[in-house]
Amino acid sequence: MSKVLSRTFCCCIPVRAGVILLGLLGLIGGVAVTAIGIINLKRQDGSKTSMILQVVIYLLLSIVSIFGLVGAISRRLAFIRMYFGMLVTHLLFSMVTGIYAIHRNFKDAPKYISDCTSGSADPSVLQVCQNGASLLKGAMVGIFILAWLLETWACVIVLNYSKQLSEEYYEINRVKDTEAW
Protein backbone atom coordinates (compact mmCIF):
# COMPACT_ATOMS: atom_id res chain seq x y z
CA MET A 1 0.00 0.00 0.00
CA SER A 2 1.43 3.37 -0.97
CA LYS A 3 1.57 6.05 1.65
CA VAL A 4 0.59 9.68 1.13
CA LEU A 5 3.39 12.05 2.02
CA SER A 6 2.62 14.55 4.74
CA ARG A 7 2.71 18.10 3.43
CA THR A 8 4.52 20.77 5.39
CA PHE A 9 4.90 24.52 5.64
CA CYS A 10 7.79 26.54 7.07
CA CYS A 11 10.00 23.66 5.86
CA CYS A 12 9.09 21.18 8.57
CA ILE A 13 5.74 21.80 10.27
CA PRO A 14 2.96 19.43 9.13
CA VAL A 15 -0.03 21.19 7.60
CA ARG A 16 -2.40 19.41 10.00
CA ALA A 17 -0.59 20.99 12.95
CA GLY A 18 -0.72 24.29 11.08
CA VAL A 19 -4.48 24.08 10.60
CA ILE A 20 -4.96 23.24 14.29
CA LEU A 21 -2.75 26.18 15.23
CA LEU A 22 -4.58 28.46 12.78
CA GLY A 23 -7.91 27.35 14.23
CA LEU A 24 -6.76 28.16 17.75
CA LEU A 25 -5.21 31.48 16.76
CA GLY A 26 -8.27 32.45 14.73
CA LEU A 27 -10.58 31.58 17.59
CA ILE A 28 -8.56 33.40 20.27
CA GLY A 29 -7.62 36.33 18.02
CA GLY A 30 -11.13 36.74 16.66
CA VAL A 31 -12.64 36.83 20.13
CA ALA A 32 -9.95 39.23 21.39
CA VAL A 33 -10.31 41.67 18.46
CA THR A 34 -14.10 41.49 18.74
CA ALA A 35 -13.98 42.28 22.46
CA ILE A 36 -11.56 45.18 21.96
CA GLY A 37 -13.68 46.44 19.07
CA ILE A 38 -16.85 46.39 21.16
CA ILE A 39 -15.09 48.29 23.97
CA ASN A 40 -13.79 50.88 21.48
CA LEU A 41 -17.18 51.08 19.82
CA LYS A 42 -18.78 52.20 23.07
CA ARG A 43 -16.18 54.95 23.48
CA GLN A 44 -16.13 56.15 19.87
CA ASP A 45 -17.98 59.22 18.65
CA GLY A 46 -19.01 59.86 15.05
CA SER A 47 -19.18 57.26 12.31
CA LYS A 48 -19.20 53.76 13.75
CA THR A 49 -19.90 51.88 10.50
CA SER A 50 -16.33 50.77 9.78
CA MET A 51 -15.81 49.71 13.41
CA ILE A 52 -19.05 47.69 13.43
CA LEU A 53 -18.02 45.98 10.20
CA GLN A 54 -14.63 45.04 11.66
CA VAL A 55 -16.25 43.67 14.83
CA VAL A 56 -18.61 41.51 12.75
CA ILE A 57 -15.78 40.30 10.49
CA TYR A 58 -13.60 39.18 13.41
CA LEU A 59 -16.54 37.60 15.20
CA LEU A 60 -17.13 35.58 12.03
CA LEU A 61 -13.42 34.65 11.99
CA SER A 62 -13.73 33.12 15.45
CA ILE A 63 -16.80 31.13 14.37
CA VAL A 64 -15.10 30.00 11.14
CA SER A 65 -12.02 28.92 13.09
CA ILE A 66 -14.09 26.41 15.04
CA PHE A 67 -14.72 24.53 11.76
CA GLY A 68 -10.99 24.39 11.06
CA LEU A 69 -10.16 23.27 14.55
CA VAL A 70 -12.77 20.50 14.61
CA GLY A 71 -11.94 19.46 11.05
CA ALA A 72 -8.21 19.20 11.68
CA ILE A 73 -8.56 17.35 14.96
CA SER A 74 -11.08 14.85 13.57
CA ARG A 75 -9.45 14.72 10.07
CA ARG A 76 -12.75 15.47 8.31
CA LEU A 77 -12.30 16.57 4.73
CA ALA A 78 -15.73 18.20 4.52
CA PHE A 79 -14.99 20.42 7.53
CA ILE A 80 -11.59 21.38 6.13
CA ARG A 81 -13.10 22.25 2.75
CA MET A 82 -15.81 24.34 4.45
CA TYR A 83 -13.11 26.00 6.57
CA PHE A 84 -11.11 26.81 3.44
CA GLY A 85 -14.13 28.26 1.66
CA MET A 86 -15.17 30.32 4.66
CA LEU A 87 -11.58 31.47 5.23
CA VAL A 88 -11.29 32.71 1.63
CA THR A 89 -14.69 34.42 1.92
CA HIS A 90 -13.59 35.97 5.22
CA LEU A 91 -10.38 37.20 3.59
CA LEU A 92 -12.33 38.87 0.79
CA PHE A 93 -14.81 40.52 3.18
CA SER A 94 -11.93 41.54 5.43
CA MET A 95 -10.22 43.22 2.49
CA VAL A 96 -13.38 45.08 1.49
CA THR A 97 -14.15 46.30 5.01
CA GLY A 98 -10.48 47.03 5.70
CA ILE A 99 -10.23 49.19 2.60
CA TYR A 100 -13.37 51.00 3.75
CA ALA A 101 -11.87 51.53 7.23
CA ILE A 102 -8.64 52.87 5.70
CA HIS A 103 -10.68 55.19 3.47
CA ARG A 104 -12.62 56.48 6.49
CA ASN A 105 -9.40 57.01 8.41
CA PHE A 106 -7.88 59.08 5.61
CA LYS A 107 -11.13 61.00 5.11
CA ASP A 108 -11.55 61.74 8.83
CA ALA A 109 -7.89 62.75 9.38
CA PRO A 110 -8.60 66.52 9.31
CA LYS A 111 -11.23 65.99 12.03
CA TYR A 112 -8.72 64.06 14.15
CA ILE A 113 -6.15 66.81 13.71
CA SER A 114 -8.63 69.55 14.66
CA ASP A 115 -9.72 67.56 17.73
CA CYS A 116 -6.07 67.08 18.65
CA THR A 117 -5.14 70.75 18.35
CA SER A 118 -8.24 71.86 20.30
CA GLY A 119 -8.16 75.26 18.59
CA SER A 120 -4.49 75.88 19.37
CA ALA A 121 -2.59 78.02 16.86
CA ASP A 122 0.83 76.90 18.10
CA PRO A 123 2.78 75.46 15.13
CA SER A 124 4.49 72.83 17.30
CA VAL A 125 1.12 71.49 18.51
CA LEU A 126 -0.16 71.42 14.94
CA GLN A 127 2.98 69.58 13.79
CA VAL A 128 2.67 66.98 16.56
CA CYS A 129 -0.98 66.36 15.69
CA GLN A 130 -0.22 66.05 11.98
CA ASN A 131 2.65 63.65 12.67
CA GLY A 132 0.36 61.59 14.92
CA ALA A 133 -2.31 61.40 12.21
CA SER A 134 0.30 60.38 9.64
CA LEU A 135 1.66 57.72 11.98
CA LEU A 136 -1.85 56.41 12.58
CA LYS A 137 -2.51 56.22 8.83
CA GLY A 138 0.74 54.36 8.16
CA ALA A 139 0.27 51.95 11.05
CA MET A 140 -3.30 51.20 10.03
CA VAL A 141 -2.35 50.44 6.42
CA GLY A 142 0.62 48.33 7.54
CA ILE A 143 -1.41 46.30 10.04
CA PHE A 144 -4.18 45.60 7.52
CA ILE A 145 -1.70 44.51 4.84
CA LEU A 146 0.13 42.25 7.31
CA ALA A 147 -3.16 40.70 8.44
CA TRP A 148 -4.22 40.07 4.83
CA LEU A 149 -0.87 38.49 3.96
CA LEU A 150 -1.04 36.21 7.00
CA GLU A 151 -4.61 35.20 6.21
CA THR A 152 -3.64 34.49 2.60
CA TRP A 153 -0.84 32.27 3.89
CA ALA A 154 -3.36 30.56 6.17
CA CYS A 155 -5.56 29.87 3.14
CA VAL A 156 -2.60 28.21 1.40
CA ILE A 157 -1.89 26.03 4.45
CA VAL A 158 -5.54 24.95 4.71
CA LEU A 159 -5.68 24.23 0.97
CA ASN A 160 -2.56 22.04 1.25
CA TYR A 161 -4.09 20.13 4.15
CA SER A 162 -7.30 19.69 2.17
CA LYS A 163 -5.31 18.22 -0.73
CA GLN A 164 -3.43 15.92 1.65
CA LEU A 165 -6.64 14.65 3.23
CA SER A 166 -8.17 14.15 -0.21
CA GLU A 167 -5.18 12.04 -1.26
CA GLU A 168 -5.37 10.04 1.96
CA TYR A 169 -9.07 9.31 1.42
CA TYR A 170 -8.34 8.32 -2.17
CA GLU A 171 -5.63 5.91 -1.05
CA ILE A 172 -7.90 4.33 1.55
CA ASN A 173 -10.76 3.81 -0.90
CA ARG A 174 -8.70 2.83 -3.94
CA VAL A 175 -9.15 -0.73 -5.14
CA LYS A 176 -5.83 -2.41 -5.83
CA ASP A 177 -5.26 -4.52 -8.93
CA THR A 178 -4.68 -7.59 -6.78
CA GLU A 179 -7.92 -7.03 -4.86
CA ALA A 180 -10.02 -7.10 -8.03
CA TRP A 181 -9.16 -10.77 -8.74
Side-chain angles (χ1 to χ4, degrees):
M1 180 175 179
S2 65
K3 185 175 179 185
V4 175
L5 293 176
S6 179
R7 296 173 190 232
T8 60
F9 71 101
C10 287
C11 300
C12 61
I13 303 171
V15 287
R16 180 176 184 216
V19 173
I20 291 171
L21 182 64
L22 288 171
L24 286 172
L25 288 175
L27 183 62
I28 294 168
V31 168
V33 170
T34 300
I36 292 169
I38 290 171
I39 291 169
N40 287 337
L41 196 61
K42 291 185 179 200
R43 295 182 187 171
Q44 184 180 2
D45 294 331
S47 177
K48 297 181 179 185
T49 307
S50 63
M51 183 66 79
I52 291 170
L53 287 172
Q54 290 302 315
V55 166
V56 169
I57 288 295
Y58 283 98
L59 179 63
L60 288 174
L61 175 64
S62 60
I63 294 168
V64 164
S65 295
I66 294 171
F67 278 96
L69 193 58
V70 170
I73 290 172
S74 64
R75 304 188 103 171
R76 300 238 171 122
L77 182 59
F79 275 59
I80 296 300
R81 285 185 176 164
M82 279 193 333
Y83 180 49
F84 175 70
M86 289 189 287
L87 200 58
V88 168
T89 304
H90 179 270
L91 175 63
L92 294 175
F93 280 127
S94 176
M95 286 180 163
V96 169
T97 59
I99 289 168
Y100 177 71
I102 290 169
H103 168 73
R104 290 299 306 175
N105 189 7
F106 276 74
K107 187 176 180 182
D108 293 342
K111 179 185 172 288
Y112 298 147
I113 292 171
S114 67
D115 289 347
C116 176
T117 58
S118 300
S120 176
D122 187 12
S124 63
V125 170
L126 185 60
Q127 184 66 31
V128 167
C129 291
Q130 287 175 338
N131 288 344
S134 297
L135 180 66
L136 180 66
K137 289 176 189 176
M140 186 176 192
V141 169
I143 289 170
F144 271 113
I145 289 174
L146 179 65
W148 294 332
L149 288 174
L150 290 174
E151 194 165 356
T152 302
W153 188 38
C155 289
V156 170
I157 293 169
V158 173
L159 179 64
N160 282 337
Y161 184 53
S162 174
K163 288 178 181 178
Q164 178 183 324
L165 272 180
S166 181
E167 290 173 5
E168 288 174 2
Y169 284 159
Y170 175 76
E171 279 297 316
I172 289 170
N173 296 325
R174 187 174 68 161
V175 176
K176 308 286 188 286
D177 284 341
T178 57
E179 293 173 355
W181 293 16

